[in-house]
Amino acid sequence: MIEAELKARVRDPEAVVRQLGERATARFEVYKDTYYDRPDRTLEKAGQELRVRTVHGADSTRTVLTFKDAAVEEDSGSKPEHETEAADSGAVHAILLGLGYRPVIAFEKRCRNYDVEAVGRRMLATFVRVPEIDGIFLELETLVDEAEVPAALDDLRTVLAELGIGPEDLTRELYTEAVAARRGADRQSL
């Protein structure tokens, strides 16, 4: 499956949160993300990502191992995504290290997630704050087959417009790069 996703900077957070709250119940979660690569940065050069995410929610903590392949749609950066939950985050980190991967950056995202149904699609709207960078973001995504990506992106744009977010608000800025820049380092540094 492809994660058709659009990300935008939010200019009026209160209005967006209010509108999302009318559509679904919010789930407050904190993501602890660690991105891995080989020492020669093979994954980054190929446009791929390998991430271990530990999600701390109100009632539970879970760990998800994710591999994202290179983008299939350049304007949005939509990528094939493969992920699975892991029972032991320490074991996942140890396995990746044992296979020769190295952590390149780790950071926290504070998220307010909404599972919404819109224009005939199940979507995840995530209101995001990354403490180390300026701004508030909204990620809107849906999982589709590759052939459906253009139509799915159109549907995501429709929902964003309903939330008062226009094309000028869209961004391809990566949290990994923004955090590294804020730290005054490249992604090689934790």
Side-chain angles (χ1 to χ4, degrees):
M1 298 295 284
I2 308 297
E3 180 186 65
E5 177 181 9
L6 293 172
K7 179 166 62 172
R9 285 189 166 271
V10 178
R11 289 181 278 144
D12 188 354
E14 294 79 18
V16 173
V17 166
R18 185 178 59 254
Q19 291 178 68
L20 287 170
E22 292 169 0
R23 294 174 182 237
T25 301
R27 253 185 356 267
F28 296 91
E29 298 176 318
V30 176
Y31 298 175
K32 305 276 186 162
D33 289 352
T34 303
Y35 286 80
Y36 285 84
D37 205 338
R38 296 183 180 107
D40 64 0
R41 302 182 79 178
T42 308
L43 296 176
E44 182 181 356
K45 291 172 187 170
Q48 300 170 320
E49 299 173 44
L50 181 60
R51 179 186 69 213
V52 177
R53 170 176 284 167
T54 300
V55 180
H56 300 279
D59 301 322
S60 66
T61 297
R62 67 186 192 285
T63 298
V64 181
L65 175 65
T66 304
F67 171 72
K68 292 186 180 189
D69 211 339
V72 297
E73 202 280 334
E74 287 305 314
D75 289 339
S76 67
S78 295
K79 297 179 168 201
E81 181 176 304
H82 310 278
E83 62 183 22
T84 188
E85 285 197 36
D88 183 340
S89 67
V92 173
H93 289 286
I95 289 167
L96 293 176
L97 290 170
L99 291 171
Y101 292 94
R102 297 292 172 251
V104 291
I105 196 159
F107 58 91
E108 179 180 290
K109 290 171 59 176
R110 296 178 185 163
C111 301
R112 189 180 299 188
N113 291 305
Y114 300 85
D115 294 308
V116 296
E117 187 83 27
V119 291
R121 294 186 189 277
R122 297 187 67 196
M123 298 180 183
L124 175 64
T126 303
F127 197 74
V128 179
R129 285 183 194 258
V130 178
E132 292 184 68
I133 59 177
D134 295 329
I136 298 171
F137 299 88
L138 179 66
E139 301 171 7
L140 187 61
E141 64 187 60
T142 188
L143 292 175
V144 296
D145 292 324
E146 189 169 351
E148 290 181 75
V149 170
L153 291 171
D154 286 343
D155 290 344
L156 295 176
R157 285 183 191 93
T158 297
V159 174
L160 288 173
E162 291 170 1
L163 296 171
I165 296 171
E168 68 281 1
D169 300 315
L170 296 179
T171 181
R172 290 267 329 263
E173 180 180 12
L174 300 175
Y175 301 122
T176 51
E177 291 176 2
V179 169
R182 183 63 156 223
R183 292 177 184 173
D186 66 15
R187 283 184 53 177
Q188 195 65 29
S189 302
L190 285 173

